[in-house]
Amino acid sequence: MFSFLKKNKTPRQLFFATDVHCHIVPGVDDGSPDLETSLELLERMRSWGLRHVITTPHMTQDTFENTSATLDPAFAVLKEGAAKAGIDVKLERTAEHRIDEFFTEQLEKGDIVPYPKNYLLVENSFVQEPYGLDRLLFDLKLKGYKPILAHPERFRYYQLDPSRYDMLRQAGNLFQLNILSLAGYYGKETKQMAEKLVEKGYIDFLGTDLHHHEHADAIEDYLASKDYRKLCDRGIELMNDTAF
């Protein structure tokens, strides 16, 4: 009975309408494995007040070496499925680009699909900061891109050296923080760092980074929490609904 009530209660809504980071394109990475799951997740996102979802499948060397040839057909299946299911959400696609040799190769080939207005989501390795990161981000800007660093709060090497956040911000880089980090899904240290970055005014975008129903459950629990009410009361300014 408890599970039934929890599943069917109406979740509290997000205070923005555009999600900039999620993995709901079916069958292309470690996110949704099939269209049925994707549509279930999209329905839940719609219930949180999201009306514009920009999907960001992984593009990662050796694990998810996705290109437009693999992502576009899968994204088309998602769009068609959502339309047939009557899910009223605007869907677009870019990618979460791991900074590695594969990304460099695709960039040189011109096989990069950025967000509207040339924003580009890039992701560090979880092991260490990519060699020459500052130069790479500078070069992306010279090419006309606007780099957004995906979930910098999650990287342990930055948590141990918080001054690096200051340096990256001073260089004009944008930060995207995961709602799951604020929810404590990745642990206490990541939650604390996420909250510190919010306090410093360093967060430009919030994203769900939604992969599966367990993530959705964690987000819904957070939306019903005192911590989320405090975040709303704080009045954090985001670019989610204005950048694109």
Side-chain angles (χ1 to χ4, degrees), residues 25-242:
V25 176
V28 295
D29 61 10
D30 59 345
S32 173
D34 51 48
L35 179 60
E36 180 181 4
T37 303
S38 296
L39 296 180
E40 291 171 355
L41 293 172
L42 195 56
E43 285 277 18
R44 296 181 75 170
M45 297 169 85
R46 179 70 171 75
S47 74
W48 305 336
L50 293 170
R51 300 295 179 268
H52 183 191
V53 172
I54 306 178
T55 62
T56 55
H58 287 292
M59 289 182 67
T60 310
Q61 187 173 356
D62 297 329
T63 52
F64 304 112
E65 293 191 347
N66 283 308
T67 65
S68 294
T70 57
L71 294 179
D72 286 346
F75 179 67
V77 168
L78 175 63
K79 285 194 72 173
E80 182 180 1
K84 287 182 177 179
I87 304 174
D88 184 20
V89 173
K90 178 182 179 181
L91 288 168
E92 293 186 271
R93 178 188 80 75
T94 174
E96 182 178 12
H97 305 89
R98 175 69 61 84
I99 299 174
D100 54 27
E101 290 183 10
F102 182 70
F103 170 63
T104 303
E105 292 170 1
Q106 299 310 115
L107 190 64
E108 291 175 352
K109 292 177 182 178
D111 193 13
I112 295 292
V113 178
Y115 293 101
K117 300 182 183 178
N118 256 20
Y119 289 92
L120 189 70
L121 188 68
V122 293
E123 181 193 33
N124 285 10
S125 163
F126 281 89
V127 177
Q128 63 184 20
E129 182 181 88
Y131 176 76
L133 176 65
D134 296 280
R135 181 67 194 184
L136 182 141
L137 294 173
F138 180 74
D139 287 345
L140 286 174
K141 293 169 192 170
L142 290 181
K143 293 177 185 292
Y145 294 109
K146 303 169 188 174
I148 303 171
L149 299 180
H151 47 63
E153 77 283 357
R154 294 186 63 190
F155 302 120
R156 183 61 177 163
Y157 47 85
Y158 286 166
Q159 295 173 8
L160 295 173
D161 181 17
S163 65
R164 190 69 176 112
Y165 294 112
D166 300 323
M167 295 173 63
L168 290 165
R169 289 296 290 185
Q170 290 163 10
N173 299 298
L174 302 169
F175 285 3
Q176 176 264 307
L177 184 144
N178 284 0
I179 295 172
L180 289 163
S181 297
L182 292 169
Y185 185 86
Y186 309 112
K188 181 179 179 181
E189 291 82 5
T190 298
K191 176 179 172 63
Q192 290 175 339
M193 183 52 67
E195 291 170 344
K196 288 179 182 178
L197 293 176
V198 169
E199 290 171 5
K200 296 188 77 167
Y202 279 6
I203 303 307
D204 304 288
F205 300 91
L206 275 176
T208 64
D209 203 356
L210 186 66
H211 284 65
H212 41 66
H213 285 295
E214 183 179 327
H215 281 171
D217 291 342
I219 290 171
E220 288 180 1
D221 287 343
Y222 177 64
L223 294 182
S225 71
K226 292 181 180 179
D227 281 351
Y228 180 65
R229 288 196 293 273
K230 289 178 182 178
L231 182 71
C232 294
D233 292 342
R234 189 184 186 282
I236 178 174
E237 294 185 12
L238 299 174
M239 297 173 62
N240 287 55
D241 298 333
T242 59

